[in-house]
Amino acid sequence: MTTITDLEATTTINATPAQVWAAITDLPRMSSWSPQVVKTVVFGQVKEGTRFLNINHQGWKHWPTNAKVVRFSPHSDFAFRITENTTVWSYQLEESSEGTVVTHRRETPTGISALSRSLTKVAFGGQENFTEELRTGMATTLAKLKADLEG
């Protein structure tokens, strides 16, 4: 069971873990799957410690987030921490007889920053509404990733 802070979505993709890994670590492609990400700029080769910038949107509102790759285990575990709110977004891959089980998570190991909670309340309709939007967006991201890789 996920909470208002920790979110999770899972799907099975008819592709190898290597194929899924190649897609999810090609960060500029994220805007083609995620309903929130407009653009991603990566500073260097994607590996643990790599930093990148996302431009996100909700309707007419646009905002940047800075991220750093914090876990990088090829074909298995990829995660990055968002500087502004301290959340960790991750993808875990597990091979199955149907392909690759992909679990997408938003984790909050140190909570969500006070600044982010305040901005969410003022600019994004409150924590519950924004969290539900994120949960739906995660499922959409996985569905589009699946369609792309299986298409």
Side-chain angles (χ1 to χ4, degrees):
M1 176 93 177
T2 58
T3 65
I4 197 164
T5 55
D6 293 326
L7 307 175
E8 182 177 298
T10 302
T11 193
T12 301
I13 299 175
N14 186 11
T16 67
Q19 291 168 313
V20 176
W21 178 263
I24 63 171
T25 59
D26 184 359
L27 293 171
R29 288 179 70 187
M30 193 55 65
S31 63
S32 67
W33 306 311
S34 170
Q36 190 178 81
V37 177
V38 175
K39 183 176 180 149
T40 301
V41 178
V42 181
F43 305 106
Q45 180 183 356
V46 177
K47 61 184 181 191
E48 191 165 340
T50 297
R51 295 188 180 275
F52 59 97
L53 170 74
N54 281 325
I55 303 298
N56 302 303
H57 80 104
Q58 179 193 59
W60 60 269
K61 295 171 269 189
H62 287 74
W63 68 97
T65 56
N66 294 282
K68 179 180 178 182
V69 176
V70 294
R71 295 194 311 260
F72 190 88
S73 298
H75 310 167
S76 172
D77 184 28
F78 177 66
F80 51 90
R81 179 181 302 276
I82 302 299
T83 303
E84 291 78 5
N85 62 19
T86 71
T87 60
V88 176
W89 291 82
S90 66
Y91 294 86
Q92 278 83 44
L93 312 180
E94 190 174 324
E95 193 166 13
S96 77
S97 58
E98 292 84 36
T100 302
V101 177
V102 182
T103 303
H104 184 22
R105 290 187 178 93
R106 198 270 315 251
E107 307 162 45
T108 57
T110 60
I112 299 173
S113 72
L115 174 62
S116 183
R117 288 193 315 271
S118 295
L119 288 173
T120 299
K121 184 177 181 180
V122 172
F124 299 111
Q127 196 69 45
E128 282 191 37
N129 288 340
F130 192 60
T131 298
E132 189 53 41
E133 187 177 318
L134 293 176
R135 183 179 284 121
T136 300
M138 291 168 72
T140 299
T141 297
L142 289 183
K144 288 182 174 183
L145 174 65
K146 177 181 176 79
D148 196 7
L149 291 175
E150 291 182 351

